[in-house]
Amino acid sequence: MAPAKNYSAYDDATSRRLLCGDLSEETRLPRELLERFHAMWCERSRPFFAAVDETSTMSVGALAEVVRSLGVHSDLLCRSISRVIASGAEAVSFSAFVRGYAQLHSRTLREALPFAFAVFDLDGDGLLSPAEFQTVLEANLELKQLDPAAVRRVLAAPPSPDQQLRGLTRDQFRYFASLSSETVLATCGFLLHVSAF
């Protein structure tokens, strides 16, 4: 993530164009889309940005509702996605919202996996406990209305002797996600373009 730039020396229109241009370059989202989002954010437009407050931030709870409106119909996933986008803060700025929105629109498995791992890592310790993994995996399977049988077969494979018993690392998560189309959907089903992976 790029450090925050200060555009306060410029008038509002120039500041908006610079901010949206920098965010567009960083996220690869269309500048025009970001300029529309910024105008809606500043105007607190319904339905998505009505909860933007006087400090020009949105609470994590309100962000979870925006995530739900994008088609993620799981309380657990909405809360976890919002937690990851907010990076532990209680509210998100426009820039943080855009970066999170871009992550939800990842176009490749390689782009998606760091974000997906963070969503699975409910306690943020960098390791997926068996309970975290199973809880989020089940939420993803339910979200995508998938039969968990194929994923259960993969999970039933005997562990290797050197496998960590505490939980999955990022590399192990990446390996699991890449095993089949079912495991891709099971790990990244909440992402908006997962079917294109």
Side-chain angles (χ1 to χ4, degrees):
M1 182 171 65
K5 293 184 181 178
N6 186 347
Y7 305 103
S8 62
Y10 302 98
D11 63 79
D12 287 344
T14 302
S15 178
R16 182 194 75 243
R17 283 194 308 276
L18 290 172
L19 172 64
C20 292
D22 287 346
L23 286 170
S24 176
E25 189 174 306
E26 178 185 336
T27 64
R28 298 183 323 216
L29 292 171
R31 181 184 191 144
E32 298 77 21
L33 172 68
L34 299 184
E35 287 182 356
R36 281 194 309 269
F37 277 177
H38 190 270
M40 292 167 63
W41 184 275
C42 291
E43 295 164 4
R44 299 180 180 141
S45 295
R46 293 189 179 277
F48 305 115
F49 303 124
V52 173
D53 65 21
E54 63 281 345
T55 64
S56 194
T57 60
M58 179 185 291
S59 73
V60 173
L63 179 59
E65 292 308 311
V66 172
V67 171
R68 181 179 314 286
S69 74
L70 296 173
V72 179
H73 302 292
S74 161
D75 289 338
L76 173 74
L77 291 172
C78 289
R79 285 191 316 270
S80 190
I81 290 167
S82 298
R83 173 189 53 81
V84 172
I85 291 172
S87 299
E90 293 181 19
V92 294
S93 65
F94 175 73
S95 296
F97 168 78
V98 168
R99 289 181 184 107
Y101 183 82
Q103 290 175 314
L104 284 170
H105 284 275
S106 295
R107 296 290 183 161
T108 67
L109 187 59
R110 183 183 187 113
E111 288 176 4
L113 284 177
F115 185 73
F117 182 87
V119 170
F120 268 76
D121 188 11
L122 297 174
D123 62 9
D125 68 353
L127 194 64
L128 301 183
S129 72
E132 286 174 318
F133 185 70
Q134 183 174 352
T135 299
V136 180
L137 190 67
E138 287 175 3
N140 261 328
L141 291 171
E142 186 178 316
L143 175 71
K144 288 298 186 184
Q145 300 175 342
L146 296 173
D147 178 9
V151 174
R152 285 196 185 119
R153 282 194 298 276
V154 172
L155 292 174
S160 64
D162 63 339
Q163 184 177 18
Q164 293 182 12
L165 298 176
R166 295 184 9 218
L168 289 175
T169 65
R170 285 180 198 254
D171 288 339
Q172 291 167 327
F173 180 78
R174 183 180 313 124
Y175 174 75
F176 174 78
S178 68
L179 290 175
S180 69
S181 59
E182 289 87 0
T183 59
V184 168
L185 288 173
T187 55
C188 300
F190 57 86
L191 296 168
L192 303 177
H193 298 291
V194 69
S195 59
F197 290 176

